[in-house]
Amino acid sequence: MSNGDSAIGQAADAVEDASNAPALDVLARAGFAVMALLHIMVGGMAIAVAFGQPGDADITGALSQLVANPWGPVLMWAGVAACTGLALWQASEATVRARSLPGRERLGKLISSGFLAVAYGSVGLSFAGFAVGLRGDSGDSTRDFSAALMAHPAGLWLLVAVGLTTMGVGVYFVVKGLRQGFRAELFRFRGTRRGGLIDVLGVVGHIAKGIALNLAGLLFVIAAAKHRPEESTGLDGSLKALRDHPFGPALLVAIGVGFIAYGVFALVRARFGRM
């Protein structure tokens, strides 16, 4: 091994040691708890939308409710810290902690945990935006993002790529739920009655989240196919689009219940999950 390789290895070891710091684990667990709360709130709002109630059934809608209470600013900054910690923990999972895995598993971990790091980091940015008073509509933001992509020479294909990537992540969540791949994250309750209940929450929650992501991704693809970026409206728009279909309200309720199940699962993950 050359001196350069040795130095890189020592640096990677130092980064891995830092990623194992108790403080980062605490922040990451807090991040899981924050995501649990947001999913439960989004699930409740999806059910409300199914019955014709107003509101945004997405992260923005949940943050709008949280920031409106007297402790709103404190909650927003706490959310920034928790989601940033969780994003850093997922980034370490994707890189330095995956060094010892076989090639294919290491690549899979890089993709899955890397995507989650970006997703949790973006939620942290949303918390920061609300904390400093930058509160916008998620549907408008998604439409603006899609329009900006479409203005690029390769925008059509970029928008399709965004949609297919979102749908791919949705498929990942569905498969993870069906195969109970989440059980590796929670090993304490295996073989117990409580473990069986947690498995049900994990299956239902992951499948519901996967379906919702597929719907949101499909809107990106449709918007690209029609050259109409205004039709890409994110999670809230995709859920509200269901409401006008014959079985839409029932499906919305099912997705809402699934999001709540995922949120409860994430709470258990926050407390007892492998770190």
Side-chain angles (χ1 to χ4, degrees):
M1 181 181 294
S2 67
N3 290 336
D5 290 338
S6 177
I8 293 174
Q10 290 175 1
D13 289 340
V15 173
E16 184 173 3
D17 289 340
S19 72
N20 291 324
L24 183 58
D25 279 358
V26 170
L27 277 178
R29 289 188 188 277
F32 279 120
V34 167
M35 295 306 299
L37 173 62
L38 293 178
H39 278 82
I40 291 171
M41 293 180 70
V42 170
M45 288 184 285
I47 294 173
V49 167
F51 291 99
Q53 298 299 314
D56 295 329
D58 57 13
I59 298 297
T60 299
L63 294 182
S64 296
Q65 291 189 14
L66 288 174
V67 78
N69 75 75
W71 290 91
V74 175
L75 292 175
M76 292 303 102
W77 288 116
V80 172
C83 290
T84 300
L86 183 53
L88 290 174
W89 182 83
Q90 287 288 0
S92 70
E93 284 279 289
T95 53
V96 291
R97 293 190 182 191
R99 288 184 300 158
S100 60
L101 296 176
R104 182 175 296 181
E105 289 184 32
R106 186 165 64 247
L107 177 60
K109 194 66 175 175
L110 175 64
I111 294 172
S112 61
S113 292
F115 177 85
L116 289 174
V118 173
Y120 294 140
S122 67
V123 175
L125 287 176
S126 296
F127 269 104
F130 272 78
V132 298
L134 301 176
R135 306 167 191 177
D137 180 85
S138 62
D140 290 341
S141 299
T142 305
R143 282 187 287 267
D144 292 343
F145 169 75
S146 299
L149 279 184
M150 291 291 285
H152 191 276
L156 173 66
W157 299 109
L158 289 173
L159 196 58
V160 170
V162 170
L164 292 178
T165 300
T166 304
M167 294 175 71
V169 176
V171 171
Y172 164 79
F173 271 94
V174 171
V175 172
K176 185 177 180 180
L178 291 174
R179 294 184 175 179
Q180 298 186 15
F182 53 82
R183 297 185 76 184
E185 302 167 0
L186 278 170
F187 46 81
R188 180 171 298 193
F189 302 109
R190 287 182 184 174
T192 66
R193 182 177 301 177
R194 188 180 300 177
L197 175 60
I198 293 171
D199 285 346
V200 171
L201 291 172
V203 170
V204 172
H206 280 81
I207 291 176
K209 182 168 182 175
I211 291 173
L213 286 171
N214 271 283
L215 290 172
L218 183 61
L219 286 184
F220 279 112
V221 176
I222 291 174
K226 293 183 176 181
H227 294 266
R228 298 186 62 174
E230 68 273 10
E231 293 191 12
S232 57
T233 52
L235 177 60
D236 177 63
S238 64
L239 293 180
K240 286 178 178 174
L242 283 177
R243 191 171 51 191
D244 300 327
H245 291 272
F247 298 101
L251 184 55
L252 266 177
V253 170
I255 291 175
V257 171
F259 264 71
I260 292 171
Y262 185 90
V264 176
F265 172 83
L267 277 178
V268 178
R269 172 77 174 87
R271 175 64 180 84
F272 299 106
R274 178 191 62 81
M275 300 298 288

